[in-house]
Amino acid sequence: MHNKIFAIDPGTTHSGYVVVEHDGREITRVLSRGKLPNEELLRQLPYNVGRSEIVVEMVASYGMAVGREVFETCVWIGRFLQLGAVLPERQPRHIVYRIEEKEALCHNSRAKDANIVQALVDRYAYGQPNHGKGTKASPGFFYGFSKDAWQAMAVAATWLDRETQRKGQRRG
């Protein structure tokens, strides 16, 4: 079983990412997080994936017109997913839709980014000051997180929850 998740929140030019460890039911540790230019992330992906599940947030259409940025992001989603297929160990690749994250973490399809962040803090750093970031001297679970890393963390947590439910395991 893979015990790591490499989750990506894709963008038109830069993407947020996290690499996390899990025990099969819950994320236990953040190994890496950040935001990189897409070309750089694509170059680094083979070296950072190890034996990880690759999970990428997918764009969904709700009937509204979309602009060029959405299509550019779709191209990057495809490139990230394709890379997993050609790596030596053919890493498993998955997608998570934004609405799945909102419903899984906040139980509300209208949730905003701030609601998602708070749900993650409540789950992984409950009662810790500074949204669980801590300080340089005493780093917390979410040390070094920025907007894009939070969204990538939501991708990872949602996918793991979905897999846990699919396998019939329950978070306890």
Side-chain angles (χ1 to χ4, degrees):
M1 176 182 170
H2 295 85
N3 65 345
K4 288 194 295 184
I5 301 168
F6 193 114
I8 301 172
D9 174 39
T12 56
T13 60
H14 292 73
S15 294
Y17 73 93
V18 294
V19 180
V20 296
E21 269 183 347
H22 65 87
D23 62 8
R25 294 178 0 159
E26 188 62 271
I27 293 171
T28 56
R29 185 165 64 129
V30 177
L31 301 173
S32 181
R33 78 275 177 257
K35 180 179 180 178
L36 290 172
N38 288 339
E39 288 286 350
E40 177 73 16
L41 185 58
L42 199 60
R43 277 193 301 275
Q44 288 193 16
L45 199 59
Y47 304 107
N48 291 315
V49 170
R51 293 196 41 81
S52 299
E53 303 278 346
I54 299 171
V55 186
V56 182
E57 186 179 82
M58 183 61 160
V59 172
S61 171
Y62 298 103
M64 299 294 293
V66 296
R68 183 186 78 204
E69 293 83 8
V70 171
F71 293 107
E72 289 172 1
T73 300
C74 289
V75 169
W76 283 106
I77 291 168
R79 291 185 75 187
F80 292 136
L81 291 171
Q82 182 184 28
L83 183 64
V86 298
L87 291 173
E89 296 181 11
R90 293 188 53 84
Q91 301 300 1
R93 301 158 323 282
H94 314 277
I95 59 172
V96 169
Y97 291 92
R98 181 84 169 144
I99 197 158
E100 288 180 274
E101 297 165 32
K102 293 176 178 186
E103 291 173 349
L105 299 172
C106 302
H107 310 291
N108 186 333
S109 62
R110 294 181 171 182
K112 304 292 183 208
D113 287 355
N115 304 114
I116 290 172
V117 169
Q118 189 60 55
L120 291 168
V121 169
D122 290 348
R123 182 168 170 175
Y124 296 106
Y126 185 78
Q128 295 179 15
N130 193 22
H131 283 82
K133 289 183 179 182
T135 63
K136 187 174 184 178
S138 179
F141 191 87
F142 292 113
Y143 182 74
F145 267 62
S146 64
K147 180 180 186 283
D148 298 282
W150 285 108
Q151 298 314 311
M153 183 68 175
V155 171
T158 300
W159 179 80
L160 185 58
D161 286 352
R162 187 173 73 194
E163 286 301 293
T164 300
Q165 287 177 346
R166 185 181 67 77
K167 293 176 182 175
Q169 300 169 340
R170 298 279 182 234
R171 276 189 30 220

